[in-house]
Amino acid sequence: MKVWLYAIRLNTGWVMNISLARELDAQYWKAITSNTTADSPHDRCHHELQRRNTHRRWLRQAWFETKVGFQVGMAVVRLFEKESSALPLDHWQEEEWEQAILAWIRKAQLMLGQQGHRSRKRVDIDHAAIRVSSKTELDLLEAGTCSDTFGHQFKKRSCKIAMFDWQEGASGAVQRENSSEWPSSELDWECSRLSQQLCGRALFESELLSMLSGKGAAWSKGQLHAVIQWGLLNGSLTVHSGVTWPLLEEGQGSMRRNAGDIQAHADSAGKDKGQIPSGAGRRRDIHRQGSFKRSFILVLRQWGLSLFGRASSLTSLCRLVTSGVLRWSRMLWRREKQQLPYCLRCGALGDELQVSACESCGSSRCYTCMACLQLARSRSCALLVSSTWGERRHQGLNDVRHRQVYHWDDVNSLFIYELDTLDLAQHQKASGSPAESSVEVEALLEPYHLAPAQWDASRGALQYLSSRLSKEHSDQGQFLLWAVTGAGKTEMMFPMTAFMLANKKKVCIATPRKDVVLELMPRIKKAFPEAKVVTLYGGSEERFESGEITLTTTHQLLRFRDAFDLMVVDELDAFPYHNNPMLERAAKLACKGGGTFVYLSATPPSALARAARRGQLAQATVPVRYHRHPLPVPKRLPMPPVARMIASGRLPSRVVGALHHAVLRGAQLFIFVARIRHIDGAVALLRKSFPQQAIAGTSAADAKRAEKVLAFRSGEIRILVTTTILERGVTVPKSDVFIWDADNKLFDEASLVQMAGRAGRSKDDPNGSVYFGSSQWTRSQSAATRQIRRMNRLAKRGGYLLAK
Amino acid sequence: MQMQSSWYERIAAPRSSTCLACSRTIPYYGDLEELKAEQWRRSLCPSCVERIPFIEEVGCSSCGRHIRCEDCQRQPLQQYGLAYNRSVVQYQEHMKEWLALCKFKGNQSIAFVMAGMMIEQYMPLSLTAKVNKPTRSSSDWWSMLKEWWNPESIIEYPDLVTYVPSSLERLEERGFNQAELLAGTLAKAWGRPLLNCLDRTRDTGKQSQQSRAGREQSLEGTFTWNQAAFQGIRFYMARQLKPYLHILLVDDVYTTGSTIRACARALQDGLRELHIQGMVSSYTWARA
């Protein structure tokens, strides 16, 4: 990443700015000064600066906050001959500028990741090549006039900008020799288009280029930079580095001001030029003091409150002080974590970031994110471009951090920290009182032919959604839809989607697997013919499309930022989502700040289930299948471990008896084993006992898995031996389930419940049987049985079961 | 594993890492940076290590291919001033994935593994080159005994390690030059200087997208000597006792050899200009 740094003298003072394409900056300032429609250029400049001051931060600071690693060339330009007030900086010569810039760079480097690595501190002096113009000379910024020292560092590239129409393709292309001829109106237009396209996304340069070429505009990197720079100048785009460092929370503003602001210093410290207060070294102490003071004040205030509120005693004071200290230490601890660099796209930090010397930014410690490497390389020096289209969030991506700091290390802690208890109370209030919303809700539920249990749960979900919509929320809402296996989760997505679409909101349905996406797509398209449905998965064509409904695999969510109002997460506990904090964060970031999550699961993670049970999380339960028969309760089948059975070469008579019973019943059999290596042995054993049956085994290592599963579905294979890979998604009308080695630690409660859920799914044969075959009765087996029994009990109590 | 400093770190040390190539769980191996080059196997899972198609027998004594090759008979490498080439693995699908992981996805830790493989295999591979066998005088029984007892002991490491440069644009795009990473690790392991001898004067487009004739043509005059490297070599030779120089040219993959030939020719030209007698051999990670 190479950028230009320039200082420009306006009538009010000096502004330091960083530019991707310096010609455009020259053009920008020229446009401001030469525009004669308004009053004098001085005033316009003043207005311009004021506008920036009020609406956005100073550009240089904004750039500094983006923390993009860079190499620097410097130009100092005076915009006006006459200065209204003399500033000390006006008399600076090249040496002084150089010193000041070096100090600035040194500080920037300190902040940009050489924190804590003082020994490796290195300042690249030769990167700062400085030219100061004595007169008003905007040309210095432009291409032709740069001196040889500049040219050496920055290879002269005459930036040829070609205009393309995105929709019409390259036909309307107009070649322009120099970008300065590009009228600002067209640039504005291109920019707003780009920002419109980027809305709800955060993309890297390479992804942007491929997006543009997908839309028929083959832009070069220089052109892209020009448009991005224009977007930065007029505030329609924001830029961040791929891997970034959280600055310290306390005193952040003042620190930034110290680091970025030459002007402030020059104004205040007048005479001793070239020396800038070194904020970087003292930063830590300052912030410690600040936070301590703050927490102390907090404690005092609490104490004061409690003095007012209730009778004070020494113990309550002690408690308050200790709690304050605890909070303080926790804040410190949290801040320690916040010091670490993290990937702005996927939120990874720690070991997932790789440090290396980088040739593109010249830094010796450039971080690369390994977690989201499959999409595009996220580096310290890569530009992550996002737009401010629509809401124009001024804080840009910075608030991302606040949403994701707490749960990076522990999936379980996420839910405990982020419960929106307040919301829940409101929701309960809302759902209790208004009758008029329920009418509307009923009307929405009508066309989908839901079973009573589904109906009730969907109504709960819709009421939650409408209570969320009725008020602006700053935090993300969560709703757990706990539906047993075979309850018809997909049907329950439809009313929610319809509700959000009716309110002109964007919906995303995220599922862990690609085949589920492909299976869902036609159903969704049929249910919502008027809405635009975008399907995203690895290698999909519609990668950069956007529509009202987005059907996606969880990995693709990394490309979105603040895009969706409703995020339906299917199979929360399934393979890629479970224990993968990256995807968790991706989902959090893709959802809007005030958006809502709906988790669909038959076996929610324990933390979520606990929160729901305690009433801290809004939830609805569907305890019965759509055919309104109870779930088959697993039976215990004592049997030796599979390895021993294979070694001895025979099945115990009890096992054969149970199998025989199922086969006689005419059911197809799922036999789950814990290990892939047991499959062949188990198949051989079964073939010995049941020579007439078609028996097959499949696993993740099997190349013909899809065909075998198809054959099993069609009934050609009667007995299928498999591992946990088939624990969800496969539905066979009449089936019995045997789980061998159910005491194996690979089979936890969730997977046991899921496997048991393979039996009795159809209306015709609701009473399949499930056997847990094991030599020991383990906790997860009893918990799974308990969960299934509980669901049946709930169903009975709710009156959802068919009368016998 | 290194001993950690405090009891907390010791109990909190992770128990498992992930395989660099296939991200399967493997036993914890610590920090990749602290791992020695010979221990590269520890950062991969056993099945990945097993699938590496090492070149165990050199089929072509000049270019190091695992089968006989007609290219070298048509255009011997010696014409270009290259003594011989050796490569560690056959460039098969599996290895192509690895290289793509390193080059295009930017996973630099793979380069570490590749360099480890190169260090491990350098001795046995360079033994197969005739140039490295000393002319045997019958009276020197001691060296004969040494050679019989430990054939690797007569091989000397190269004096200088250099690499195939990449163009500035490419460097800026990728952020690193994988050949430089490999060469750097080799040089560090052997205690030899790493010298950036060559400059790439123009970008020739991606080699992997060109035909054979196109490659040869596009590479003419692409590589020139780096002026700073002249100084380095003079300095090095001034301290050296022996009058000749063995330069090792490192690259990631040898496909048709056109890049390496062009580089070798440029290197030899430079040496001639310096009046130094030198041998240039090349060492690549993969051979197509």
Side-chain angles (χ1 to χ4, degrees):
Chain A
M1 188 74 247
K2 281 175 184 168
V3 293
W4 282 82
L5 182 69
Y6 64 85
I8 197 158
R9 175 72 167 95
L10 308 175
N11 62 337
T12 44
W14 285 88
V15 175
M16 196 154 79
N17 208 343
I18 295 176
S19 165
L20 281 169
R22 57 192 190 282
E23 302 94 338
L24 280 172
D25 281 67
Q27 194 187 338
Y28 180 76
W29 290 113
K30 252 182 203 165
I32 283 181
T33 47
S34 64
N35 190 354
T36 48
T37 50
D39 19 47
S40 79
H42 281 246
D43 288 342
R44 222 172 305 85
C45 252
H46 192 67
H47 287 318
E48 175 65 24
L49 286 177
Q50 279 216 325
R51 181 179 74 83
R52 286 218 187 132
N53 251 339
T54 48
H55 292 291
R56 310 176 66 230
R57 291 186 207 90
W58 287 73
L59 273 186
R60 52 152 194 273
Q61 286 183 10
W63 256 105
F64 193 70
E65 282 155 27
T66 61
K67 295 177 231 95
V68 180
F70 47 75
Q71 298 183 353
V72 172
M74 174 89 190
V76 179
V77 173
R78 256 152 254 242
L79 206 56
F80 302 109
E81 283 291 357
K82 282 176 251 161
E83 283 100 25
S84 50
S85 61
L87 291 176
L89 262 71
D90 293 342
H91 308 295
W92 277 13
Q93 292 307 308
E94 281 189 24
E95 309 94 69
E96 281 114 3
W97 275 110
E98 194 167 341
Q99 274 184 17
I101 293 304
L102 283 184
W104 186 81
I105 291 175
R106 202 171 290 137
K107 226 166 288 161
Q109 278 192 335
L110 261 180
M111 290 178 85
L112 295 179
Q114 275 152 19
Q115 292 178 350
H117 295 278
R118 306 229 157 157
S119 55
R120 299 197 195 183
K121 186 168 64 180
R122 183 170 70 100
V123 178
D124 300 323
I125 295 177
D126 46 327
H127 287 318
I130 297 178
R131 253 192 85 193
V132 182
S133 78
S134 51
K135 291 173 287 178
T136 53
E137 194 179 0
L138 263 176
D139 300 337
L140 194 60
L141 279 175
E142 284 176 27
T145 51
C146 60
S147 67
D148 286 341
T149 43
F150 277 71
H152 184 64
Q153 293 291 336
F154 290 78
K155 284 183 64 193
K156 275 187 204 170
R157 263 182 252 154
S158 61
C159 171
K160 280 186 189 168
I161 293 199
M163 294 275 298
F164 291 102
D165 202 78
W166 289 359
Q167 260 71 41
E168 287 168 24
S171 59
V174 186
Q175 283 279 342
R176 277 169 207 278
E177 273 306 305
N178 199 337
S179 64
S180 56
E181 290 169 26
W182 197 344
S184 50
S185 60
E186 278 179 46
L187 261 173
D188 269 338
W189 189 65
E190 284 294 320
C191 222
S192 65
R193 234 178 208 271
L194 187 67
S195 124
Q196 205 174 345
Q197 299 268 359
L198 263 176
C199 178
R201 285 169 189 275
L203 297 179
F204 284 106
E205 275 173 274
S206 56
E207 289 173 305
L208 256 178
L209 284 174
S210 72
M211 175 178 108
L212 291 171
S213 68
K215 302 215 155 127
W219 284 17
S220 74
K221 223 168 189 179
Q223 292 165 328
L224 185 69
H225 279 172
V227 175
I228 291 175
Q229 178 61 25
W230 195 259
L232 285 172
L233 284 169
N234 69 17
S236 61
L237 296 173
T238 51
V239 167
H240 292 260
S241 67
V243 176
T244 178
W245 290 262
L247 294 178
L248 307 167
E249 293 289 303
E250 323 283 321
Q252 206 173 26
S254 69
M255 206 175 62
R256 278 179 189 159
R257 236 169 287 134
N258 276 345
D261 213 331
I262 287 182
Q263 179 203 5
H265 156 69
D267 286 347
S268 60
K271 279 144 220 161
D272 51 357
K273 33 192 172 179
Q275 186 197 8
I276 287 173
S278 60
R282 298 198 316 253
R283 203 173 45 227
R284 204 161 280 191
D285 313 333
I286 291 169
H287 119 77
R288 282 242 167 98
Q289 276 173 12
S291 78
F292 180 72
K293 210 188 279 170
R294 182 164 297 191
S295 68
F296 194 66
I297 287 168
L298 204 108
V299 168
L300 282 183
R301 197 181 294 152
Q302 277 187 357
W303 188 43
L305 277 178
S306 76
L307 270 179
F308 273 115
R310 55 194 125 96
S312 72
S313 66
L314 198 62
T315 44
S316 78
L317 174 64
C318 282
R319 202 176 299 141
L320 275 168
V321 169
T322 43
S323 75
V325 168
L326 269 182
R327 182 176 303 165
W328 179 55
S329 62
R330 205 171 66 193
M331 271 160 63
L332 275 187
W333 182 71
R334 216 178 265 165
R335 197 158 298 118
E336 287 283 294
K337 279 188 176 169
Q338 287 179 11
Q339 296 268 321
L340 296 172
Y342 63 93
C343 172
L344 198 54
R345 177 164 62 176
C346 70
L349 38 72
D351 289 343
E352 285 166 306
L353 300 179
Q354 193 183 52
V355 193
S356 58
C358 177
E359 299 282 344
S360 358
C361 63
S363 158
S364 55
R365 293 181 66 79
C366 183
Y367 288 87
T368 308
C369 177
M370 292 283 123
C372 56
L373 202 61
Q374 299 126 315
L375 291 171
R377 194 144 53 116
S378 163
R379 284 188 289 176
S380 305
C381 55
L383 287 182
L384 185 66
V385 187
S386 56
S387 88
T388 52
W389 186 261
E391 322 166 41
R392 299 225 166 209
R393 296 188 161 208
H394 302 311
Q395 63 271 55
L397 293 176
N398 272 349
D399 60 340
V400 158
R401 201 176 61 247
H402 305 300
R403 263 189 273 152
Q404 55 114 57
V405 159
Y406 306 122
H407 53 89
W408 65 276
D409 56 346
D410 186 4
V411 188
N412 293 339
S413 67
L414 151 78
F415 301 109
I416 296 162
Y417 277 116
E418 302 221 335
L419 292 176
D420 40 350
T421 37
L422 259 181
D423 239 15
L424 192 65
Q426 281 164 8
H427 153 65
Q428 279 161 354
K429 237 184 271 164
S431 64
S433 54
E436 67 276 2
S437 70
S438 66
V439 178
E440 175 196 340
V441 162
E442 305 270 313
L444 269 171
L445 287 171
E446 206 60 63
Y448 299 106
H449 309 294
L450 299 174
Q454 287 175 312
W455 181 286
D456 288 350
S458 300
R459 197 174 55 207
L462 286 187
Q463 276 167 353
Y464 180 73
L465 286 181
S466 66
S467 78
R468 296 267 320 167
L469 281 187
S470 59
K471 221 182 101 215
E472 275 286 303
H473 288 268
S474 57
D475 54 343
Q476 296 174 339
Q478 298 183 349
F479 188 88
L480 173 66
L481 198 53
W482 188 341
V484 295
T485 51
K489 286 193 281 281
T490 318
E491 286 80 33
M492 293 186 334
M493 288 178 196
F494 292 152
M496 286 189 274
T497 313
F499 178 75
M500 290 313 260
L501 285 185
N503 284 299
K504 299 243 173 345
K505 300 283 182 186
K506 283 196 168 181
V507 181
C508 173
I509 298 172
T511 68
R513 285 156 211 253
K514 181 179 161 184
D515 39 346
V516 181
V517 170
L518 292 176
E519 201 180 289
L520 261 175
M521 177 179 62
R523 291 173 72 179
I524 296 266
K525 274 192 177 155
K526 208 173 127 196
F528 304 102
E530 71 284 356
K532 191 182 176 200
V533 182
V534 178
T535 29
L536 301 174
Y537 46 88
S540 103
E541 300 272 298
E542 303 169 320
R543 256 194 311 169
F544 298 111
E545 300 281 318
S546 55
E548 282 94 40
I549 305 176
T550 310
L551 256 172
T552 170
T553 55
T554 31
H555 277 276
Q556 299 292 322
L557 288 175
L558 282 171
R559 290 214 171 94
F560 290 94
R561 191 59 52 93
D562 287 330
F564 306 112
D565 300 282
L566 172 66
M567 182 87 99
V568 181
V569 184
D570 192 15
E571 304 264 18
L572 178 70
D573 53 320
F575 157 64
Y577 208 80
H578 190 41
N579 287 335
N580 192 343
M582 180 181 86
L583 295 176
E584 195 98 53
R585 285 183 301 244
K588 290 254 160 221
L589 295 182
C591 187
K592 273 185 190 162
T596 311
F597 276 89
V598 173
Y599 301 118
L600 290 176
S601 180
T603 47
S606 57
L608 207 57
R610 205 182 309 127
R613 214 179 307 129
R614 286 178 185 159
Q616 293 162 324
L617 177 69
Q619 67 138 354
T621 315
V622 186
V624 70
R625 291 180 165 165
Y626 72 98
H627 54 54
R628 304 175 66 188
H629 287 277
L631 297 165
V633 179
K635 285 169 231 157
R636 206 185 151 188
L637 180 66
M639 62 187 281
V642 178
R644 204 191 297 163
M645 289 197 304
I646 292 169
S648 67
R650 60 179 210 90
L651 286 170
S653 58
R654 203 177 338 196
V655 179
V656 176
L659 287 169
H660 194 67
H661 180 73
V663 168
L664 275 190
R665 204 169 71 83
Q668 283 176 279
L669 299 188
F670 275 102
I671 294 177
F672 290 99
V673 294
R675 297 277 175 192
I676 293 176
R677 60 171 182 269
H678 291 157
I679 284 178
D680 290 338
V683 168
L685 276 181
L686 287 166
R687 285 211 175 115
K688 221 163 37 176
S689 304
F690 300 95
Q692 307 89 347
Q693 299 289 324
I695 302 169
T698 186
S699 65
D702 189 2
K704 287 191 234 155
R705 187 175 86 196
E707 298 154 34
K708 281 181 184 170
V709 170
L710 271 183
F712 187 62
R713 272 188 174 158
S714 65
E716 284 164 37
I717 294 174
R718 303 303 297 177
I719 303 179
L720 186 68
V721 184
T722 181
T723 58
T724 46
I725 50 151
L726 289 190
E727 74 178 25
R728 43 186 102 214
V730 180
T731 303
V732 174
K734 191 171 186 178
S735 59
D736 281 1
V737 173
F738 285 79
I739 298 157
W740 290 4
D741 275 355
D743 50 349
N744 194 300
K745 66 177 179 193
L746 283 178
F747 293 145
D748 56 354
E749 182 191 339
S751 65
L752 285 174
V753 170
Q754 287 285 356
M755 289 186 283
R758 295 305 106 201
R761 287 175 82 102
S762 88
K763 209 181 263 178
D764 310 321
D765 177 50
N767 305 311
S769 46
V770 179
Y771 291 95
F772 286 171
S774 64
S775 49
Q776 309 165 57
W777 189 246
T778 52
R779 183 186 292 228
S780 54
Q781 288 175 67
S782 64
T785 320
R786 210 179 308 131
Q787 189 181 333
I788 290 171
R789 285 224 172 91
R790 184 170 150 254
M791 283 299 172
N792 284 342
R793 207 164 49 237
L794 279 178
K796 199 173 171 191
R797 205 180 294 155
Y800 298 129
L801 292 182
L802 278 183
K804 283 195 178 148
Chain B
M1 202 198 324
Q2 254 194 333
M3 205 60 173
Q4 257 93 19
S5 52
S6 73
W7 65 269
Y8 175 72
E9 279 169 15
R10 236 173 286 157
I11 59 163
R15 296 283 181 270
S16 65
S17 309
T18 50
C19 169
L20 286 180
C22 67
S23 53
R24 206 173 293 172
T25 313
I26 53 169
Y28 182 66
Y29 59 84
D31 238 1
L32 195 63
E33 282 146 25
E34 285 163 16
L35 212 60
K36 284 182 196 146
E38 304 86 60
Q39 295 172 321
W40 61 269
R41 277 167 214 266
R42 289 179 59 184
S43 60
L44 295 173
C45 68
S47 73
C48 278
V49 173
E50 221 167 80
R51 282 167 64 202
I52 296 173
F54 280 114
I55 297 180
E56 267 142 18
E57 259 177 53
V58 175
C60 172
S61 65
S62 118
C63 74
R65 202 177 180 183
H66 66 287
I67 46 173
R68 280 188 55 192
C69 97
E70 275 120 40
D71 272 11
C72 295
Q73 284 162 7
R74 223 182 298 135
Q75 295 174 303
L77 288 180
Q78 283 79 10
Q79 268 183 14
Y80 296 85
L82 188 64
Y84 62 92
N85 172 67
R86 285 294 174 269
S87 309
V88 183
V89 297
Q90 301 160 29
Y91 197 42
Q92 291 171 355
E93 277 310 312
H94 181 42
M95 295 291 106
K96 277 180 192 167
E97 277 167 31
W98 280 27
L99 193 65
L101 216 62
C102 171
K103 251 165 120 168
F104 304 119
K105 294 263 159 117
N107 192 345
Q108 293 179 39
S109 34
I110 295 276
F112 169 81
V113 173
M114 283 155 61
M117 292 160 72
M118 288 174 81
I119 291 166
E120 189 187 277
Q121 294 290 317
Y122 182 75
M123 276 300 172
L125 283 174
S126 55
L127 263 182
T128 59
K130 274 195 197 116
V131 199
N132 286 334
K133 297 252 168 69
T135 47
R136 187 174 296 150
S137 57
S138 55
S139 61
D140 193 3
W141 61 272
W142 171 242
S143 70
M144 277 170 69
L145 184 67
K146 215 166 81 174
E147 191 191 341
W148 171 78
W149 178 249
N150 182 7
E152 295 185 0
S153 65
I154 55 164
I155 303 283
E156 282 177 3
Y157 287 121
D159 300 314
L160 272 180
V161 183
T162 186
Y163 52 87
V164 176
S166 70
S167 65
L168 267 178
E169 283 85 4
R170 192 62 43 74
L171 208 57
E172 213 169 280
E173 185 187 318
R174 277 189 200 144
F176 62 94
N177 177 1
Q178 69 283 350
E180 186 182 346
L181 287 181
L182 295 178
T185 321
L186 292 184
K188 206 167 151 194
W190 296 335
R192 295 288 191 255
L194 172 74
L195 202 62
N196 176 20
C197 293
L198 296 174
D199 275 339
R200 202 180 195 125
T201 49
R202 59 168 193 263
D203 191 22
T204 50
K206 285 186 181 154
Q207 283 281 296
S208 43
Q209 290 160 8
Q210 286 176 7
S211 68
R212 178 183 297 257
R215 287 176 194 219
E216 291 275 346
Q217 228 171 33
S218 67
L219 281 170
E220 245 166 64
T222 313
F223 299 102
T224 55
W225 262 81
N226 188 339
Q227 288 305 314
F230 272 136
Q231 297 289 333
I233 285 203
R234 278 210 195 93
F235 183 69
Y236 183 79
M237 287 307 286
R239 300 193 311 172
Q240 206 70 13
L241 294 177
K242 53 186 184 182
Y244 68 91
L245 196 65
H246 179 190
I247 299 182
L248 188 74
L249 180 66
V250 177
D251 199 5
D252 50 354
V253 58
Y254 181 113
T255 316
T256 57
S258 46
T259 315
I260 283 183
R261 279 168 222 237
C263 281
R265 179 171 272 177
L267 280 176
Q268 285 289 4
D269 288 348
L271 288 180
R272 213 168 295 129
E273 212 172 301
L274 283 168
H275 308 291
I276 294 172
Q277 214 182 357
M279 178 173 87
V280 179
S281 66
S282 69
Y283 190 34
T284 68
W285 173 69
R287 173 75 176 91

